[in-house]
Amino acid sequence: MSGGPGAMALRPVAAAEHPALLALNNRHAAAVNALTPEAFAAQCAGALLALAAWEGERLLGFLLAFGPETPERGPNHAWMRARHPEAAYVDRVVVDAAAQGQGLGRRLYAALAALPGVAALGCEVNLDPPNPQSMAFHRRLGFRPVGQATDPRNGKRVEYLLCSAARFLRSPGESPLSGAARLNTSQSQPSGTAFPPGRSPQHPA
């Protein structure tokens, strides 16, 4: 998981790192929605996986994901949980601008896909306002549309995407946590109620 100076490491998020992660999240608020410190801490506490990528002391990005057993953490998670209980729901992925285009988004997804019991990954990407970079990123990874919805809290139209976890595991012995797209993605927002059937995802690519 670690190496010499300049090596990139993926590790579980620690409470002391919340301020740095929250600052990165809120710099990308247009894509992933801003959070308060309290809301961010609650998202991390309820996550199936809260994983951050670091290069020394420099934060490169992070992923928060919820499982089907997790109580509803917002309308997007509720939509995915009700319709695709086999999927881990990616609440948000945020990658620092300087670290984009280096495969970090895929590595974070691969770490989630490698967890026991995770058969698929689900997320949503904005359709209105559109996020074509994120949509293209997810299509390249093999995500397919499974529904749409409009968020009653902010009026955003989203498309829900789903992908088999197996697509991220190159070989049975590979651990994404021990090795190294451009993407920032917000799939969830603070707690809320489920959407009507449809489809939706939002990710900053």
Side-chain angles (χ1 to χ4, degrees):
M1 264 179 44
S2 60
M8 195 269 276
L10 300 183
R11 64 176 186 251
V13 170
E17 298 169 343
H18 285 187
L21 273 67
L22 179 61
L24 177 61
N25 181 90
N26 289 350
R27 286 199 297 274
H28 294 277
V32 297
N33 303 308
L35 293 173
T36 64
E38 295 76 17
F40 187 78
Q43 298 291 78
C44 291
L48 171 67
L49 181 66
L51 190 67
W54 296 85
E55 186 177 66
E57 298 301 311
R58 184 167 77 96
L59 175 63
L60 303 179
F62 70 92
L63 173 146
L64 293 180
F66 300 127
E69 308 275 323
T70 307
E72 293 177 6
R73 304 294 293 188
N76 294 320
H77 177 226
W79 192 100
M80 192 66 65
R81 184 173 176 265
R83 294 162 179 81
H84 294 281
E86 77 280 13
Y89 169 74
V90 181
D91 177 71
R92 64 193 61 224
V93 173
V94 183
V95 175
D96 184 70
Q100 292 182 7
Q102 300 174 34
L104 178 54
R106 191 191 190 288
R107 282 198 60 200
L108 289 166
Y109 275 23
L112 176 60
L115 293 181
V118 173
L121 306 188
C123 67
E124 83 280 348
V125 172
N126 281 351
L127 292 176
D128 184 17
N131 192 341
Q133 294 89 351
S134 180
M135 190 65 77
F137 172 84
H138 287 87
R139 293 295 179 88
R140 286 196 300 271
L141 290 182
F143 281 82
R144 60 183 177 84
V146 291
Q148 293 184 6
T150 299
D151 190 332
R153 300 164 302 175
N154 54 30
K156 290 180 178 179
R157 188 72 180 169
V158 297
E159 181 161 73
Y160 294 105
L161 305 177
L162 196 70
C163 185
S164 167
R167 292 185 65 97
F168 293 91
L169 306 178
R170 295 180 183 138
S171 67
E174 180 181 2
S175 170
L177 295 178
S178 60
R182 193 179 158 189
L183 141 129
N184 286 328
T185 156
S186 131
Q187 262 73 254
S188 88
Q189 295 127 67
S191 310
T193 54
F195 296 9
R199 56 181 187 178
S200 114
Q202 163 186 329
H203 292 55

